[in-house]
Amino acid sequence: MLSIALAPWRGSPVLLRNADVPHVAASTMKVAVLAALYRSGIDLDLPVPVHNDFVSAVGGHYANSPDQDSDPRPWGLLGASAPLRWLAERMITHSSNLATNLCLAQVGVPAVAEVWQRAGATGSSTPRGIEDAPASAVGLLNRVTARDLIRLLESLHAEELAVLEGNVHRVDLAAGLPPGTRTACKNGWIDGVRNSVALVHPEDAAPYTLAVCYTGPLASGDDVVDPAARLLARISSQVWERRGGLMP
């Protein structure tokens, strides 16, 4: 299943393909966690303990696996502390799973649900943390739609978008753009799923937002060498070529 949503920045969509079909969120849900944390009123410079023991959404406990995490830095701080702001940045820029669950533990699932609600999302939700196996076993999954991912980006404040500009995983949608193009983006990948959403700032045209969600056999689960990532890059490249005509 391939879902696409494309719109001028904070304008009416110009392309919708399966845009309201839910996909497993993978790491795109981290954007909603970021927004919830930044709007919580919590002191982001507050050091919090770095641990790997989390309360499941269905009761009991679960832990993250270092082998499933793309960012080793927070793992090196186990047993110590780290500022929330730093953890939030690693959650987005390096897609840290451990940092995500530490941030989610600070704000709670209801705060993330409020972010989705205020964005106007209709088919997306974040009822659990990353790798919450007990919740997953009973069918409690984080889900997103392409249209909702655009709505989510459009709802972000400037400081939240600035964090997304630091994303180091310049694959899928970002890979379809000319090098150096200013982009605020977040992607997510697991076996069978590749999702990405990006706010693109061309120098010669108005900014636009593109979200693509793919579920299927092309998604290998690899962070870079993924046929689904190449598919998303081709879509992004085709949109870029038509950037001057993206009017409602």
Side-chain angles (χ1 to χ4, degrees):
M1 172 62 68
L2 179 66
S3 300
I4 304 172
L6 171 65
W9 178 235
R10 292 186 171 135
S12 300
V14 296
L15 172 63
L16 297 171
R17 169 182 170 147
N18 301 321
D20 297 312
V21 174
H23 296 254
V24 172
S27 290
T28 55
M29 53 77 72
K30 296 172 182 177
V31 178
V33 177
L34 176 77
L37 184 64
Y38 268 62
R39 301 169 193 179
S40 66
I42 299 173
D43 181 2
L44 296 182
D45 296 315
L46 177 73
V48 297
V50 178
H51 58 84
N52 187 26
D53 180 43
F54 303 101
V55 178
S56 171
V58 295
H61 292 256
Y62 71 99
N64 288 129
S65 168
D67 296 336
Q68 299 297 318
D69 205 331
S70 60
D71 184 13
R73 287 281 303 280
W75 290 93
L77 296 175
L78 277 176
S81 298
L84 267 175
R85 188 184 309 275
W86 182 83
L87 290 169
E89 290 174 354
R90 300 302 292 195
M91 170 177 68
I92 298 298
T93 61
H94 292 71
S95 209
S96 168
N97 291 341
L98 182 61
T100 300
N101 284 343
L102 291 168
C103 291
L104 183 59
Q106 291 294 315
V107 295
V109 166
V112 181
E114 184 177 353
V115 167
W116 283 116
Q117 182 181 17
R118 292 197 173 199
T122 59
S124 302
S125 61
T126 308
R128 64 170 177 83
I130 300 286
E131 295 182 83
D132 185 346
S136 180
V138 298
L140 199 61
L141 301 176
N142 297 325
R143 296 190 182 276
V144 294
T145 72
R147 193 198 300 258
D148 285 348
L149 285 174
I150 283 186
R151 288 167 169 159
L152 179 60
L153 247 63
E154 290 177 341
S155 75
L156 296 184
H157 303 156
E159 61 180 346
E160 297 156 7
L161 285 168
V163 179
L164 269 66
E165 291 194 24
N167 185 358
V168 301
H169 295 282
R170 312 303 283 187
V171 292
D172 46 64
L173 296 185
L177 304 172
T181 301
R182 182 185 169 197
T183 311
C185 59
K186 184 69 191 85
N187 32 27
W189 57 91
I190 57 175
D191 188 17
V193 173
R194 168 69 68 162
N195 302 328
S196 190
V197 61
L199 166 59
V200 182
H201 294 272
E203 292 184 354
D204 58 353
Y208 63 88
T209 314
L210 173 64
V212 183
C213 301
Y214 171 82
T215 300
L218 289 179
S220 67
D222 188 272
D223 57 348
V224 177
V225 186
D226 179 7
R230 294 195 292 271
L231 170 64
L232 269 62
R234 290 197 298 272
I235 293 171
S236 179
S237 177
Q238 291 171 10
V239 171
W240 174 265
E241 292 174 358
R242 296 162 176 79
R243 63 193 179 279
L246 300 181
M247 297 300 294

